[in-house]
Each structure stands twice: as C-alpha cells, then as structure tokens.
Amino acid sequence: MQSSNHRLRDMEQHHPLLSASGDVETGMGNRTLWFIQDSCGMVCATMTWFLVLYAEFVVNFVMLLPAKNFWYSLLNGATFNSLAVLALASHMRTMLTDPGAVPKGNATKEYMESLQLKPGEVIYKCPKCCSIKPERAHHCSICKRCIRKMDHHCPWVNNCVGEKNQRFFVLFTMYIALISAHALALSGIHFFTCIKVQWNECSEFSPGVSVLLLIFLCLEAVLFLTFTAVMFGTQIHSICNDETEIERLKNEKPTWERRVRWDGMKAVFGGPPSLLWCNPFTGLRLRRLLLLTHGRRGGSEFSV
C-alpha cells in the first residue's frame, strides 16, 4: 500500500482523467462560463471596480484635465488609464477563469472500476463534492469544489486562486499597486501645485469638493497599495518556492517535484520571460467568449 505522501503520483501518470490537462466539468473546456454565485464575493468584486473607476475619475477630471501642462496631462493620463485597463482586465480574467476545479461527482463506482486500479494504488475521495481528489487539491467551501493547487479564496475577485488563474491574480495585484502608487504621486504633485496658486485655478470643482475627492483617493490608494504590494510579494514567493498558501499554513511536506525560482515562474506564466507575462489578454479567445456569453452553443452556465 502506498503512503499518503504518494497518493496520486502514479495515478496521474496512468490515468489522463486525473491529470491537469483534463477538461473540467464547468470549465472552459465544455464551453461554459465560470462564475461563482457568492453574494459577498460579487459585492467585493463590484466594489473593486467602483473604486478603480473612482480613481480614474479623480485622476482624469480633478487633476489632469484642468492642468495647464499639456504633455504632463497626456503622458500621465495615458500611463494611468493604461494601467487601470490592465488591472480591470486582470481582475476579469481572474474572476471568470476556472481556477482548476476537479470534475464534480466523478467518484462513482463505475468510474472507479474504469480506472483499473493496480494493487497498492491509492486515491482519495472528497466527501464534500464526491470527486477524486488529486495531489495538492483542496476543497473550497465557497466554490463548493476541489481546486488544484488552491492558494486561497479571494472575495475581491470572487474566485479561488488556483492552478489556472494564479498568473492573472498576480497581474491584478501588480497593476493595482502601480496605479495606487501613481495616484498617490499625482495627488501629492497636485496638492502642492494648488497651494502655490488659487484652488479655483487647479480644478473645475470647488476647493472643498476637490480636497474631499483627493483625501478619499489618497486613503484608497494607501490601503490598496499596502494590501496589493504585500499580496504580490507573497504570491511571487509562493510561486518561486512552488508552495501554495494553504500548504505553507498546514506545513505540508512536499511530495511532488518542486519547480523553484524561474522554473516555477515559467510554469505559472507560461514560456520563457517576456512581455507576454504582463499581458492579461494572452490566450483570450474573443470568439469563444462571445459564444459563451450569447449562448449560441447551449448557453452559458454558472458554477455553484
């Protein structure tokens, strides 16, 4: 009998249905749309979009458009808005990408017999979702699924961070940290510029309204910058050590072949280092997305 430390290594080599390349029951492989119907997560995801759009409003209409220096407004506006679009795109890809869900309810007697298990081979069944549990998979009580290489469930993206969407979550934290730092810098420059002249000349809004908008933006930027910078560093550390947050908290000893440093980064982001690593649109197929959205092939489905 194999020990629990080697629970699925041989199984995944001989049974493709247990491998990571297999289609997930409610994933993109069956042309269905992945979306978690969790009230808290949907509220947090909506708040994330609202706060980013609020930052865009203040930066563009309170600080940049009234500025007298054309090139200052153009360069900073193009930079900030580009980073904001990349942040929101990364958020959408994280939220709507199957994180690596294990097929639900596949631990049936007929399926077990079809695997033709050899004496001594050990597999584990999740009692909550009735699925065969691969190595490094953990059950998420919110997604109600077992997720491969589950790092954590993040309400701000209304999804688990797992094997298939971790790269988009890393990009999301990076771009949010960048626009937060940029917004803080622009706020500081705008504030000290307006002190030297009349506030009415700095913005089309009244001085009181402008100050309130800037204060709220600065508070938002500080909180977002602190949170996302820490999360970004934590994610990069986990990837470089090939260890998820759950595995670290549980102090699980690695029974898999660890891919550390650049090998881990290549495994998550795909391929050798390039600018494509920073592109959240990589691999996005608009035709398939339109088919899923408009339901031309059976309609879009949602996970539970």
Side-chain angles (χ1 to χ4, degrees):
M1 181 70 68
Q2 288 183 327
S3 66
S4 59
N5 291 335
H6 302 83
R7 51 185 176 180
L8 275 176
R9 182 171 299 170
D10 293 336
M11 287 295 299
E12 293 187 349
Q13 292 176 355
H14 295 93
H15 301 288
L17 291 176
L18 295 180
S19 65
S21 60
D23 287 340
V24 179
E25 177 188 5
T26 58
M28 297 296 284
N30 287 338
R31 297 186 180 276
T32 55
L33 183 64
W34 179 272
F35 183 76
I36 302 301
Q37 298 184 41
D38 174 61
S39 300
C40 177
M42 289 187 287
V43 170
C44 290
T46 303
M47 286 180 58
T48 301
W49 274 69
F50 171 78
L51 291 173
V52 173
L53 294 177
Y54 169 81
E56 284 206 87
F57 169 78
V58 176
V59 168
N60 289 317
F61 293 98
V62 177
M63 291 187 282
L64 296 182
L65 288 180
K68 297 180 180 180
N69 189 323
F70 171 77
W71 291 108
Y72 172 83
S73 300
L74 179 63
L75 294 177
N76 281 286
T79 301
F80 186 87
N81 287 293
S82 297
L83 292 175
V85 169
L86 291 172
L88 294 177
S90 300
H91 183 272
M92 287 295 292
R93 293 299 301 274
T94 308
M95 181 170 61
L96 300 180
T97 299
D98 166 27
V102 178
K104 193 174 183 179
N106 67 347
T108 62
K109 182 179 180 181
E110 295 77 11
Y111 179 71
M112 299 287 287
E113 292 176 352
S114 69
L115 294 178
Q116 298 179 352
L117 301 178
K118 298 178 181 179
E121 287 184 325
V122 178
I123 61 175
Y124 284 81
K125 171 185 174 182
C126 177
K128 298 178 181 179
C129 61
C130 193
S131 63
I132 296 177
K133 195 172 184 180
E135 187 177 39
R136 306 189 70 182
H138 294 85
H139 185 86
C140 175
S141 59
I142 299 176
C143 296
K144 298 181 175 64
R145 300 290 291 274
C146 284
I147 307 296
R148 295 177 182 271
K149 289 185 65 177
M150 176 180 171
D151 188 85
H152 68 287
H153 184 95
C154 179
W156 297 104
V157 297
N158 189 33
N159 202 0
C160 277
V161 177
E163 184 178 66
K164 295 183 179 181
N165 68 345
Q166 187 176 26
R167 62 165 295 191
F168 301 121
F169 182 75
V170 173
L171 292 179
F172 168 67
T173 58
M174 180 182 73
Y175 287 126
I176 290 295
L178 288 176
I179 64 173
S180 298
H182 194 186
L184 281 174
L186 291 176
S187 298
I189 294 173
H190 186 78
F191 180 78
F192 286 108
T193 300
C194 291
I195 289 179
K196 299 177 181 179
V197 298
Q198 294 294 327
W199 273 92
N200 293 330
E201 300 179 6
C202 289
S203 175
E204 296 179 358
F205 297 90
S206 64
V209 173
S210 297
V211 170
L212 288 176
L213 292 173
L214 287 174
I215 290 176
F216 187 79
L217 176 64
C218 289
L219 292 176
E220 173 194 342
V222 169
L223 291 176
F224 269 46
L225 176 61
T226 303
F227 174 76
T228 54
V230 171
M231 186 59 68
F232 175 79
T234 302
Q235 289 293 302
I236 295 298
H237 180 269
S238 297
I239 293 172
C240 291
N241 287 278
D242 195 12
E243 182 182 45
T244 66
E245 186 66 17
I246 292 179
E247 292 165 350
R248 186 187 68 82
L249 293 175
K250 291 186 175 181
N251 198 24
E252 296 182 2
K253 296 181 179 180
T255 59
W256 57 92
E257 184 178 353
R258 302 183 73 168
R259 292 174 290 190
V260 297
R261 297 181 176 86
W262 282 112
D263 290 334
M265 295 289 289
K266 292 177 183 178
V268 172
F269 289 91
S274 68
L275 291 177
L276 293 177
W277 281 16
C278 301
N279 183 9
F281 300 102
T282 301
L284 181 63
R285 299 180 181 179
L286 293 179
R287 183 174 179 272
R288 174 180 290 186
L289 183 62
L290 290 174
L291 289 174
L292 295 177
T293 305
H294 296 292
R296 289 173 58 184
R297 295 191 181 182
S300 60
E301 298 177 9
F302 297 91
S303 69
V304 293

